[in-house]
Amino acid sequence: MATTNKNQNSDAWEYSSALDTTKVTIESKSKLFIGGKFVSPKSRSWFATINPATETKLSDVACAGKADVEAAVKAAKTALPKWSRLSGTERAKYLYRVARRIQERAREFAILETMDGGKPIKESRDVDIPLAAQHFFYYAGWADKLAYAFPGSTPAPVGVCAQIIPWNFPLLMAAWKLAPALACGNTCILKPAETTSLTALRLAEVFQEVGLPDGVVNIITGEGDTGRLLAQHNTVNKVAFTGSTEVGKLLMRGTAGTGKKLTLELGGKSANILFADAAMDQAVEGIVAGIYFNQGHVCCAGSRLFVEEPILEEVIYKLKQRLGSLRVGDPLDKNTDLGAINSKSQLKVVEGYIRSGVKEGAQLHQLTTKRLPSKGFWCNPCFFTDVQPSHTIAREEIFGPVLSVMTFRTPEEAISRANNSPYGLAAGVWTDKGAKIFEVAKKLDAGIVWCNTYNKFDASSPFGGFKESGFGREGGMQGLRAYVRLGGV
Ligand code: NAD
């Protein structure tokens, strides 16, 4: 069964469009960044990156093959001795300069991120790009204080780091990986996701501008095979991966017994637990932001909502109201709440999950929007009620704007249902009672628990999961640990 909500704004209350029309130049060929220079791929292979909101080609991106991976790893290895011997104070100067340059070029970065990935400009402008700069600022601060982060040990860099990232927060994921690695004296090869390479390559321009020594960061674009070749390379000392649990498992098998360090940030099926005593409007705002932010392309999206039984009807009513006021459409419009799904293949995945929810007997509540552009990959946000824990939509990561609403009667039931998942990335607890927050939060198998808020990030806060959500932490002082050897380990 399905019910639909008309977009209430589409009649009397529609905003006029407020497009960001700033022009951003994009080269027709986006080359690899190796040894401080942009170079054509030895593989002679290229693939198109498109704007998912218009389906127009933005650029042909180099697809790095074996020889290109070899060249990038060699450049990183060559740059390592000098960079790792540089004092922390000197390394920090480069990182501060990178952070400031990202701020100076923030508008360009935000527009490019939105064009290449489909996320609303207000998110790339207010979240992705400022946080990316913040990570470089934050880890610049640690570069000359590593001895204080690990008292009693002498932290040494790990060496050459292979860093493989997904498409949901392209520049931010690059910053999460590169900033701590560089602060600790490592050299890096970054491999962006195939649909979102452009902001990482623009970051390479920033590295050139600030005079980062050649080879300290190399950026090789390509598909899964490029990532596989990079992770398997013998000279690589450390693999840092953010992406699907499936690829994470492959990397774990591939690095086992090689002596390579590994950190994995993988998928999630995070639970938001809403108690009857919570501030209801604030909670509904947080739940909506927790699932529809970045079209649900968020590993820690609060995709399972557990509502205390007596308030279910009220919550459904408020969710429907809020759904009706969300604006789906052109990501470059400053009023847009949900932009385009990142790719056609991801749209098919999300639509498949929505169909499975209906087929398995859950009730679909979906916004219908009149003004979706004729081209592009769009999915109206939705939520399901009458969801059973055995339903596919309640168990598997969807990575789209789809929420499963379920109920509980006691805190114990909420905890056990929230923990009943192979994942353990994030969770949210909404209640008026401080004691309940602490009691519930400490029993949740989740790397991050937000209380009376959701999806809040800060460079000083560690992020990472348990179980099939991976291991290792990024952000904060804890994020340094993956990039140092202490007493040889
Ligand atoms: P993905 O695993 O398909 O791809 C991620 C990256 O790995 C891409 O750069 C891809 O080219 C590369 N890759 C693919 N196959 C590879 C292989 N065999 N060896 C090495 N590299 C390979 O994931 P995706 O579809 O791009 O991203 C979505 C997934 O990422 C979701 O499951 C999401 O939960 C997860 N994610 C997790 C976090 C986190 O911090 N935990 C953050 C963002 C995304």
Side-chain angles (χ1 to χ4, degrees):
M1 266 218 21
T3 63
T4 52
N5 284 2
K6 286 242 164 73
N7 185 345
Q8 294 162 346
N9 287 331
S10 60
D11 301 319
W13 298 103
E14 187 59 274
Y15 285 89
S16 302
S17 73
L19 288 179
D20 194 325
T21 50
T22 311
K23 285 272 170 286
V24 172
T25 316
I26 303 173
E27 300 281 343
S28 61
K29 295 257 182 217
S30 299
K31 298 180 179 175
L32 307 171
F33 182 67
I34 297 177
K37 293 177 190 60
F38 286 96
V39 294
S40 292
K42 293 183 183 162
S43 66
R44 299 185 185 196
S45 168
W46 304 82
F47 61 94
T49 188
I50 64 164
N51 181 338
T54 60
E55 298 179 53
T56 50
K57 182 161 90 173
L58 297 173
S59 180
D60 281 315
V61 178
C63 185
K66 197 162 184 217
D68 302 299
V69 171
E70 193 62 48
V73 173
K74 193 170 167 207
K77 181 79 181 166
T78 308
L80 182 64
K82 211 165 162 195
W83 178 252
S84 59
R85 277 202 304 270
L86 211 59
S87 71
T89 321
E90 289 304 311
R91 286 201 301 271
K93 285 184 194 167
Y94 288 106
L95 296 186
Y96 279 126
R97 277 184 227 149
V98 171
R100 283 197 297 269
R101 231 15 226 145
I102 293 175
Q103 287 184 321
E104 284 160 10
R105 295 179 67 170
R107 190 150 190 189
E108 172 192 356
F109 270 115
I111 289 169
L112 196 57
E113 198 72 299
T114 285
M115 287 175 76
D116 203 18
K119 64 173 60 196
I121 187 72
K122 69 178 175 191
E123 289 178 12
S124 28
R125 181 196 65 197
D126 299 346
V127 181
D128 294 62
I129 311 307
L131 274 177
Q134 192 202 36
H135 271 77
F136 280 100
F137 276 122
Y138 177 79
Y139 283 107
W142 273 115
D144 62 349
K145 302 174 195 69
L146 295 177
Y148 300 98
F150 305 102
S153 328
T154 312
V158 173
V160 173
C161 301
Q163 305 180 311
I164 302 169
I165 55 174
W167 44 259
N168 56 346
F169 293 91
L171 186 72
L172 182 56
M173 289 294 124
W176 275 28
K177 297 267 181 292
L178 292 170
L182 298 179
C184 295
N186 302 281
T187 56
C188 303
I189 306 111
L190 180 81
K191 154 60 185 95
E194 36 277 61
T195 55
T196 53
S197 305
L198 297 185
T199 46
L201 292 170
R202 198 71 43 134
L203 184 62
E205 287 180 17
V206 167
F207 294 142
Q208 285 184 324
E209 285 172 347
V210 305
L212 190 75
D214 294 350
V216 169
V217 175
N218 306 275
I219 299 177
I220 53 169
T221 46
E223 299 178 342
D225 213 38
T226 307
R228 186 183 57 77
L229 289 167
L230 176 61
Q232 281 177 351
H233 199 289
N234 286 337
T235 307
V236 164
N237 303 108
K238 146 104 192 141
V239 178
F241 174 77
T242 297
S244 60
T245 297
E246 191 190 351
V247 175
K249 286 180 182 175
L250 288 176
L251 290 173
M252 201 158 173
R253 280 198 282 274
T255 51
T258 63
K260 286 177 192 166
K261 277 174 80 110
L262 176 69
T263 40
L264 298 175
E265 302 275 4
L266 308 175
K269 190 74 188 171
S270 300
N272 240 327
I273 300 175
L274 176 54
F275 286 98
D277 59 19
M280 194 57 64
D281 289 335
Q282 182 191 339
V284 169
E285 272 316 294
I287 286 153
V288 164
I291 182 65
Y292 302 131
F293 177 59
N294 195 17
Q295 297 79 247
H297 298 334
V298 185
C299 48
C300 51
S303 53
R304 290 182 299 152
L305 172 63
F306 294 101
V307 181
E308 197 164 4
E309 223 171 66
I311 56 165
L312 180 67
E313 236 172 83
E314 185 187 355
V315 171
I316 291 174
Y317 173 78
K318 284 185 186 277
L319 273 177
K320 278 189 186 169
Q321 291 290 109
R322 193 62 184 90
L323 206 64
S325 68
L326 291 173
R327 291 173 295 267
V328 186
D330 189 342
L332 281 172
D333 188 330
K334 292 166 199 160
N335 294 321
T336 291
D337 296 305
L338 280 91
I341 298 293
N342 182 265
S343 63
K344 195 173 190 171
S345 59
Q346 184 60 21
L347 178 59
K348 278 194 180 146
V349 170
V350 177
E351 288 173 343
Y353 277 113
I354 295 175
R355 276 196 303 276
S356 93
V358 174
K359 201 168 152 209
E360 290 178 20
Q363 184 173 359
L364 173 67
H365 308 262
Q366 190 161 35
L367 165 80
T368 56
T369 315
K370 289 179 191 162
R371 291 184 175 79
L372 283 182
S374 56
K375 288 212 153 192
F377 314 130
W378 309 99
C379 177
N380 284 316
C382 63
F383 68 92
F384 279 97
T385 50
D386 295 336
V387 180
Q388 299 301 319
S390 57
H391 285 168
T392 311
I393 52 166
R395 290 185 289 109
E396 295 183 12
E397 182 180 48
I398 299 175
F399 227 56
V402 184
L403 173 69
S404 293
V405 182
M406 292 167 275
T407 57
F408 67 91
R409 289 183 183 170
T410 63
E412 292 69 30
E413 187 190 354
I415 294 162
S416 90
R417 295 193 67 180
N419 287 343
N420 182 16
S421 165
Y423 295 110
L425 190 54
V429 183
W430 299 86
T431 168
D432 193 31
K433 306 278 181 298
K436 207 188 274 178
I437 286 177
F438 287 113
E439 193 54 29
V440 174
K442 73 180 180 201
K443 291 180 182 158
L444 290 171
D445 294 338
I448 306 104
V449 182
W450 284 291
C451 299
N452 291 330
T453 187
Y454 206 86
N455 269 347
K456 291 282 180 260
F457 303 95
D458 192 90
S460 61
S461 218
F463 184 94
F466 292 117
K467 302 195 277 186
E468 291 199 14
S469 293
F471 51 83
R473 293 293 177 264
E474 291 187 308
M477 190 177 75
Q478 294 81 352
L480 296 166
R481 182 63 187 91
Y483 292 102
V484 292
R485 288 197 192 277
L486 304 176
V489 182

